[in-house]
Amino acid sequence: MSPAMSLASIETEIAEELIQHESLYQKGVKNLCENGITKVPKKYILPIPDRPSSENEDFSVVNSNIRLPTIDFAQLQSSNRSEVMASLAKACEEYGFFQLINHGIASDVISHMSDASKRFFELPYEERSKYMSNDMFSPVRYGTSFNQNKDGVFCWRDFLKLSCNPPEEMRPYWPASPVDLRQAAETYSKQAKFLYLMLVEAILESLGLVNNVEGENYLDEFEDGSQLMVVNHYPPCPEPDLTLGIPPHSDYGFLTLLHQVDDVKGLQIQYQGKWVTVEPLANSLVVNVGDHLEIFSNGKYKSVLHRVRVNPSRPRTSIASLHSVSHNRVIRPSPQLINEANPRRYRDTDFATFLEYVSSCEPKAKNFLESRKIDKGKMKYTKS
Ligand SMILES: O=C(O)CCC(=O)C(=O)O
Ligand SMILES: [Fe+2]
């Protein structure tokens, strides 16, 4: 064989191997681990500055844990709530995150959802893969990484996304197996939605907003808003310092309610320029401000970057319920929060713009929100 020919055949072999592996990666991390890997494949290895253990110029890394501000939902519902309202406002301004206790979702509703979700990821790949879809509007989507059609480096996560609005229409599309998943997800999603609406009411009040400029109750537009439940599954990872479960991102919606199943930690948030780990707190939900609430509050409340680290020995599951206004509504800073001292800081946006953005570029950090910001020099005192 001539040297040129042997080089060509080696190249073909490498290309074939890559293609073979690519189809393996597309099947998700759980499937990869079931194939008995002992090292993280190249596809998942982040460039050195993006690795969770490395320092870079933007963020320094600390291994410290953080106790997020705790908000007692029962107190928020009481007549004597000025103190907890002030804590809520401070948490949304300073951390963009808080732990919600006494939230009213019964523990058996949460444990049923957690349990059924975990059993979904234990199903054979052939069963799970029935729900794979590239359609962002599909009522059910099973997949891996962040955006598996675009990501250059994959992240160490498989997911199941369930659209929840309206629940009666969405439910028949949700996985039929495990048999109790639909029931568990419907009960949990309805209770999460109810809780979300109560929280929005408190948040609007904390911003000094009760009625919108047309005099309508603001809450009306949140009632038939969008809700997406995301079950994240992070298998144990042999080299957790080389990859991430989810890379730094902010959530696009108004509020996210997150349940960390089995108290396995992994969630880290940006706080005072450092990555800090959120300590799971039993019987609480982590609540965070999304991009839409940052825009709506004209920058008063912060949609904060967060990411997920993976664990060398324990699988981790989390259940996020992401809420916002319905997909055809425009999000803009509330006119009542714009004045001469605080000019309009964000452009109007809607879900279609977000989808366009996500599908046209690799989502990195807070890019979408950044794209909606008005340059300082161009900020005007204008309400529309
Ligand atoms: O798994 C977690 O703790 C966080 C998940 C998350 O950030 C998300 O689903 O957007
Ligand atoms: Fe998130």
Side-chain angles (χ1 to χ4, degrees):
M1 201 191 291
S2 75
M5 267 184 75
S6 68
L7 190 61
S9 67
I10 290 169
E11 277 173 357
T12 317
E13 219 171 275
I14 292 174
E16 270 167 12
E17 197 181 305
L18 269 178
I19 292 164
Q20 238 177 25
H21 282 156
E22 192 61 37
S23 73
L24 183 64
Y25 304 144
Q26 290 292 338
K27 289 183 176 175
V29 191
K30 180 91 198 316
N31 185 70
L32 188 69
C33 293
E34 284 163 358
N35 277 281
I37 50 141
T38 53
K39 288 179 96 50
V40 170
K42 272 210 183 80
K43 183 76 181 169
Y44 298 81
I45 301 182
L46 288 161
I48 290 170
D50 297 343
R51 291 187 194 162
S53 50
S54 66
E55 304 231 355
N56 69 25
E57 59 200 52
D58 296 331
F59 309 125
S60 50
V61 177
V62 285
N63 289 319
S64 68
N65 293 354
I66 194 172
R67 271 294 296 270
L68 290 175
T70 303
I71 302 296
D72 185 336
F73 184 70
Q75 264 179 32
L76 266 185
Q77 301 305 104
S78 75
S79 52
N80 181 19
R81 59 201 173 119
S82 53
E83 206 174 301
V84 66
M85 286 294 271
S87 310
L88 176 68
K90 190 165 184 287
C92 294
E93 281 175 42
E94 211 175 290
Y95 293 81
F97 273 80
F98 56 89
Q99 304 260 26
L100 191 68
I101 56 166
N102 294 323
H103 48 66
I105 303 186
S107 59
D108 62 334
V109 171
I110 296 185
S111 56
H112 191 196
M113 180 62 198
S114 308
D115 198 54
S117 300
K118 284 200 285 188
R119 279 185 277 115
F120 174 81
F121 286 97
E122 280 157 18
L123 292 172
Y125 171 74
E126 289 63 36
E127 187 60 35
R128 280 177 277 144
S129 65
K130 285 182 189 164
Y131 305 99
M132 271 188 157
S133 165
N134 289 333
D135 175 8
M136 298 281 249
F137 287 97
S138 169
V140 57
R141 282 175 61 213
Y142 170 70
T144 191
S145 194
F146 203 80
N147 180 347
Q148 71 196 85
N149 300 313
K150 291 221 171 285
D151 298 344
V153 177
F154 267 27
C155 55
W156 202 261
R157 158 185 90 146
D158 296 338
F159 62 78
L160 176 68
K161 298 189 178 185
L162 304 176
S163 291
C164 304
N165 200 45
E168 294 70 27
E169 273 176 42
M170 296 296 124
R171 184 183 151 132
Y173 295 98
W174 295 351
S177 182
V179 282
D180 54 337
L181 178 64
R182 287 182 184 166
Q183 187 56 53
E186 185 175 341
T187 310
Y188 181 81
S189 65
K190 283 184 173 166
Q191 298 205 12
K193 176 69 178 254
F194 180 78
L195 180 60
Y196 160 73
L197 288 173
M198 308 293 260
L199 282 173
V200 168
E201 196 171 6
I203 281 179
L204 293 178
E205 193 181 325
S206 75
L207 288 166
L209 305 170
V210 181
N211 293 319
N212 66 19
V213 272
E214 280 90 39
E216 296 157 7
N217 189 320
Y218 260 123
L219 263 193
D220 295 347
E221 66 186 287
F222 291 96
E223 254 158 42
D224 71 2
S226 64
Q227 179 180 9
L228 179 72
M229 281 221 292
V230 183
V231 182
N232 298 299
H233 181 72
Y234 314 94
C237 176
E239 295 169 295
D241 288 340
L242 301 181
T243 188
L244 280 168
I246 307 188
H249 68 285
S250 60
D251 293 349
Y252 82 94
F254 214 78
L255 283 182
T256 301
L257 275 54
L258 180 88
H259 170 53
Q260 306 189 75
V261 179
D262 296 335
D263 295 346
V264 183
K265 61 186 173 193
L267 175 63
Q268 293 192 317
I269 70 167
Q270 265 291 296
Y271 181 64
Q272 297 182 340
K274 293 182 166 60
W275 286 113
V276 289
T277 302
V278 172
E279 269 295 316
L281 177 66
N283 304 319
S284 75
L285 292 171
V286 173
V287 180
N288 64 290
V289 171
D291 295 352
H292 288 172
L293 178 51
E294 178 168 326
I295 294 173
F296 179 80
S297 69
N298 201 24
K300 190 165 196 275
Y301 290 171
K302 301 287 182 306
S303 173
V304 164
L305 277 184
H306 52 287
R307 69 182 190 184
V308 178
R309 290 207 60 174
V310 282
N311 192 291
S313 53
R314 297 182 71 187
R316 179 169 183 270
T317 304
S318 69
I319 301 167
S321 187
L322 288 90
H323 301 258
S324 193
V325 292
S326 66
H327 290 170
N328 52 8
R329 297 293 286 243
V330 172
I331 286 280
R332 60 171 62 103
S334 165
Q336 293 164 74
L337 299 174
I338 299 172
N339 52 47
E340 232 161 320
N342 197 18
R344 190 189 224 271
R345 288 164 191 244
Y346 304 86
R347 295 181 186 87
D348 287 2
T349 190
D350 57 18
F351 192 65
T353 320
F354 171 73
L355 282 190
E356 211 176 287
Y357 194 89
V358 172
S359 49
S360 66
C361 68
E362 205 173 298
K364 255 210 146 180
K366 279 183 80 138
N367 274 357
F368 178 67
L369 192 56
E370 292 302 324
S371 79
R372 309 317 303 155
K373 279 190 179 157
I374 299 175
D375 294 342
K376 262 220 164 89
K378 292 186 190 148
M379 276 184 199
K380 283 188 294 196
Y381 164 43
T382 160
K383 289 180 189 274
S384 56

